[in-house]
Amino acid sequence: MPMYKVRPVHGARGAVLAEQLPTCMYRLPNVHRSAPPAAAPAQDYGALKDIVINANPSLPPLSLLVLHSLLCERYKILSAVHTHSSVKSVPENLLKCFGEQTKQQPRQEYQLGFTLIWKDVLKPQMKFSIQTMCPIEGEGNIARFLFSLLGQKYSAVTSTLIDSWVDTTIFQLKEGSSKEKGAVLRSMNAALGKTSWLVGNELTVADIVAWCALQQTGSASAAPANVQKWMKACENLAPFTSVIKLLK
């Protein structure tokens, strides 16, 4: 069907008829009207951000316990430890690795939830947003994520050095051959002869992961002089205290 009906331009006896044609095919809104008021920002209504980590009690991820202590210094955290049915028994000290929990307040009073589940898994697994996030696997990767919640900002060069030390620690110092472990200790000794920490003059996730790896592999006693001095500096910091208690 035609969109408009137009009469013939010639009427009776040759008269020309005027026809009023539309000036616009569709009616459009006025673009010069004032913009509608902006919507009010969404409210959180006390929603708790949950960190859930699955880890094997036969090889506890010590660096994640240190990072939990550091996060507790910055955030108000609701901590919990559970045991999955895939694990028959868990040592008492691992069940209390977050210390004695005080009387819990309503969930909305906390900023973060930190739940550790002892489970029969090959590698530690973590979810931050339970419903939408794919798991992060591996102690080093989880440690990087948790440390990022502390808000430190680094240059691209510094970030690359930190990542390199974390990978070197996990894949060579912790999981490598005796030859690889020796090479890492020599590299650490050389780096710590120039700076107080592995990367620069402040503690980073590289120091946390490396210190914990030395404890778990039994390489601490054989470490060279600069590494020994650095280890004592780590142990003088409060977040390492809970891990030292676990090792005794």
Side-chain angles (χ1 to χ4, degrees):
M1 296 179 62
M3 187 170 295
Y4 302 106
K5 187 175 182 180
V6 181
R7 293 180 296 173
V9 296
H10 297 287
R13 300 180 181 178
V16 178
L17 302 176
E19 180 67 33
Q20 296 296 324
L21 296 177
T23 58
C24 181
M25 188 173 292
Y26 303 106
R27 183 178 295 277
L28 298 176
N30 187 349
V31 297
H32 299 291
R33 290 178 182 172
S34 57
Q43 297 185 22
D44 197 354
Y45 297 109
L48 186 69
K49 306 299 183 184
D50 276 304
I51 296 170
V52 178
I53 296 174
N54 296 323
N56 199 315
S58 64
L59 191 62
L62 300 181
S63 66
L64 308 188
L65 304 182
V66 175
L67 286 161
H68 170 266
S69 297
L70 281 171
L71 288 169
C72 285
E73 295 177 0
R74 181 179 177 90
Y75 300 100
K76 193 170 184 180
I77 295 181
L78 177 61
S79 304
V81 179
H82 300 290
T83 302
H84 191 264
S85 58
S86 60
V87 176
K88 293 182 179 179
S89 63
V90 177
E92 186 69 18
N93 60 344
L94 293 184
L95 292 175
K96 296 181 178 180
C97 59
F98 292 154
E100 295 292 341
Q101 299 300 304
T102 58
K103 184 179 179 180
Q104 295 181 357
Q105 301 176 23
R107 284 176 63 87
Q108 61 267 24
E109 296 294 326
Y110 296 91
Q111 296 170 291
L112 283 174
F114 199 111
T115 302
L116 176 60
I117 302 174
W118 296 116
K119 186 177 181 180
D120 186 13
V121 291
L122 294 176
K123 294 182 178 181
Q125 303 168 343
M126 187 207 79
K127 277 192 174 185
F128 182 60
S129 177
I130 305 302
Q131 297 178 345
T132 61
M133 183 178 179
C134 292
I136 295 176
E137 286 197 346
E139 184 175 350
N141 293 328
I142 297 174
R144 288 186 182 96
F145 178 86
L146 295 179
F147 194 82
S148 72
L149 298 179
L150 296 172
Q152 274 81 349
K153 303 295 183 182
Y154 301 106
S155 68
V157 173
T158 301
S159 296
T160 301
L161 288 172
I162 293 172
D163 284 340
S164 177
W165 275 116
V166 171
D167 288 341
T168 298
T169 298
I170 295 295
F171 298 116
Q172 296 183 39
L173 182 59
K174 192 173 181 179
E175 301 176 359
S177 64
S178 56
K179 184 177 181 180
E180 289 175 315
K181 293 177 181 177
V184 174
L185 285 173
R186 289 191 294 272
S187 296
M188 290 178 64
N189 196 57
L192 294 167
K194 301 174 183 177
T195 57
S196 301
W197 304 96
L198 285 175
V199 183
N201 296 312
E202 64 178 15
L203 178 81
T204 69
V205 66
D207 299 288
I208 296 171
V209 174
W211 182 87
C212 292
L214 283 172
Q215 301 299 326
Q216 286 186 314
T217 58
S219 305
S221 58
N226 292 334
V227 178
Q228 292 280 0
K229 181 180 178 181
W230 161 81
M231 289 179 64
K232 290 179 181 178
C234 291
E235 292 160 13
N236 287 332
L237 300 177
F240 291 83
T241 303
S242 59
V243 174
I244 294 173
K245 292 178 179 179
L246 283 178
L247 296 171
K248 291 181 179 180

